[in-house]
């Protein structure tokens, strides 16, 4: 009887495992293409602390940070913005939320933040948040959660503070205070390839950083970004890696360090690339 019971339990375990595998396959199958597990498209940020994000979260964090600098906001404003988006949406561009809340910051059209379509644009949403923060008198001296609350008017005013440490790590990395600090592993199915990817990267750099006219495509599979100093170079290099999955970035190089999608890490190349520029390569057309 005991042996028979063990056999029944073992059979049940097998069925559960098979069911889980089946669910995973269905969940990952998009448009007829089997996607790699989410864990294979993760990003690690290390800058006096460590943060792990998935590809979508990382891209959104990079854009929020860039928009803050483009708007000439202090770096602390970027920390506040990231902590706010962490709490409101988990750094995800949500289609909905509480009542009519939308997007990264869960802004509400009914409260004058914009149309749902506008708010779903991460750049627009980040810009509106920074504009609101700028109007808060003395926000620079406030705690992270108090500054965020002045803009958001949340029912949970203390909730933003728990994301302060993670947001400070992200800010240090994304604003170029750390070298080779953003490392992402990209799946085999980037959203874009070839000329479309290079064009999208050029446009993204222009919109996020205001680099219109200064980013030139080298050919159909790459581009270069001028960097007047090392700090700005790492800002752009980390932005490119952050957007690797959604823009098909295969390789990024700055100075004597190189990141590759295949390895997912930064490594020394043994020689120094041409100074004053970040070089990126995208996946070729399939």
């Amino acid at each position: 009887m005991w042996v028979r019971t063990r056999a029944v339990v073992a059979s049940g375990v097998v069925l559960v495992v098979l069911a889980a595998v089946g669910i995973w396959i269905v969940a990952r199958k998009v448009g007829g293409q089997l996607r790699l597990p989410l864990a294979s498209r993760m990003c690690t940020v290390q800058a006096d602390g460590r943060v792990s994000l998935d590809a979508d979260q990382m891209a959104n964090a990079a854009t929020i940070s860039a928009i803050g600098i483009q708007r000439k906001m202090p770096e602390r404003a970027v920390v506040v913005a990231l902590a706010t988006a962490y709490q409101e949406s988990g750094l995800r561009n949500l289609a909905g939320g509480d009542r009519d809340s939308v997007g990264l910051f869960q802004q509400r059209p009914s409260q004058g933040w914009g149309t749902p379509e506008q708010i779903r644009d991460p750049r627009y949403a980040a810009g509106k948040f920074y504009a609101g923060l700028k109007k808060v008198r003395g926000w620079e001296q406030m705690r992270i959660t108090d500054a965020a609350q002045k803009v958001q008017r949340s029912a949970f005013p203390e909730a933003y503070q728990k994301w302060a440490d993670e947001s400070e790590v992200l800010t240090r990395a994304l604003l170029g205070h750390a070298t080779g600090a953003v490392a992402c592993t990209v799946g085999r199915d980037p959203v874009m390839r070839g000329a479309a990817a290079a064009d999208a990267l050029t446009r993204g750099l222009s919109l996020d950083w205001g680099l219109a006219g200064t980013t030139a495509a080298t050919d159909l599979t790459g581009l270069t970004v001028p960097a007047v100093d090392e700090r700005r170079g790492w800002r752009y290099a980390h932005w490119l890696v952050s957007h690797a999955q959604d823009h098909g970035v295969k390789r990024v190089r700055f100075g004597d360090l190189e990141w590759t999608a295949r390895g997912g890490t930064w490594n020394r190349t043994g020689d120094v690339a041409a100074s004053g520029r970040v070089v990126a390569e995208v996946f070729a057309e399939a």
Side-chain angles (χ1 to χ4, degrees), residues 64 80-82 84-85 88-89 102-107 122 125-126 129 152:
I64 290 170
V80 176
L82 289 171
T84 302
E88 296 290 356
S89 68
V102 180
L104 285 168
F105 296 89
Q106 288 292 277
Q107 294 154 330
F129 178 84
Q152 298 296 104

Side-chain angles (χ1 to χ4, degrees), residues 2 15 32 39 43-45 47 68 74 118 138 143 145 157 172 238 268:
W2 180 72
L15 289 174
C43 299
T44 300
V45 182
Q118 288 175 320
R143 291 187 305 155
T145 196
R172 283 192 290 270
H238 290 155
R268 297 199 179 278

Side-chain angles (χ1 to χ4, degrees), residues 23-255:
I23 291 171
W24 178 84
I25 290 174
V26 171
R28 297 294 173 184
K29 195 166 185 179
V30 179
Q33 184 176 22
L34 187 64
R35 297 178 66 87
L36 293 176
L38 186 62
S40 71
R41 301 193 301 279
M42 293 297 293
C43 299
T44 300
V45 182
Q46 297 192 81
D48 294 331
R50 180 186 176 97
V51 173
S52 294
L53 300 174
D54 67 31
D56 290 338
Q57 291 173 306
M58 193 72 243
N60 289 327
T63 288
I64 290 170
S65 301
I67 294 298
I69 296 304
Q70 185 183 165
R71 284 176 163 262
K72 303 186 185 307
M73 295 294 287
E75 291 189 12
R76 185 169 176 80
V78 175
V79 177
V80 176
L82 289 171
T84 302
Y86 249 125
Q87 172 59 26
E88 296 290 356
S89 68
L91 288 172
R92 300 184 189 282
N93 194 14
L94 302 179
D98 180 46
R99 287 171 282 189
D100 61 336
S101 299
V102 180
L104 285 168
F105 296 89
Q106 288 292 277
Q107 294 154 330
R108 298 180 60 190
S110 63
Q111 294 182 344
W113 288 98
T115 67
E117 292 75 19
Q118 288 175 320
I119 299 172
R120 282 294 305 281
D121 179 348
R123 298 177 180 103
Y124 174 91
K128 292 292 284 187
F129 178 84
Y130 286 121
L133 182 64
K134 193 172 184 179
K135 295 177 182 177
V136 177
R137 181 175 298 179
W139 70 266
E140 298 92 339
Q141 287 73 49
M142 295 179 183
R143 291 187 305 155
I144 298 299
T145 196
D146 294 334
Q149 173 64 3
K150 287 290 186 180
V151 180
Q152 298 296 104
R153 306 290 182 181
S154 170
F156 305 96
E158 291 293 321
Y160 306 103
Q161 193 65 32
K162 66 177 175 283
W163 301 111
D165 290 345
E166 288 88 342
S167 298
E168 287 173 355
V169 171
L170 288 172
T171 299
R172 283 192 290 270
L174 292 169
L175 298 191
H177 291 295
T179 298
V182 178
C184 297
T185 301
V186 178
R188 298 175 184 175
D189 55 342
V191 176
M192 297 181 181
R193 290 174 176 268
D199 289 344
L201 281 171
T202 301
R203 182 172 180 272
L205 284 161
S206 174
L207 293 172
D208 280 14
W209 292 103
L211 295 180
T214 62
T215 304
T218 57
D219 52 40
L220 295 181
T221 59
L223 54 85
T224 61
V225 186
V228 298
D229 55 43
E230 185 173 358
R231 185 174 164 193
R232 292 193 192 187
W234 282 114
R235 287 179 181 180
Y236 305 147
H238 290 155
W239 185 95
L240 287 161
V241 175
S242 298
H243 284 277
Q245 180 66 38
D246 60 350
H247 284 66
V249 181
K250 182 179 181 181
R251 187 186 313 271
V252 177
R253 186 172 180 186
F254 183 56

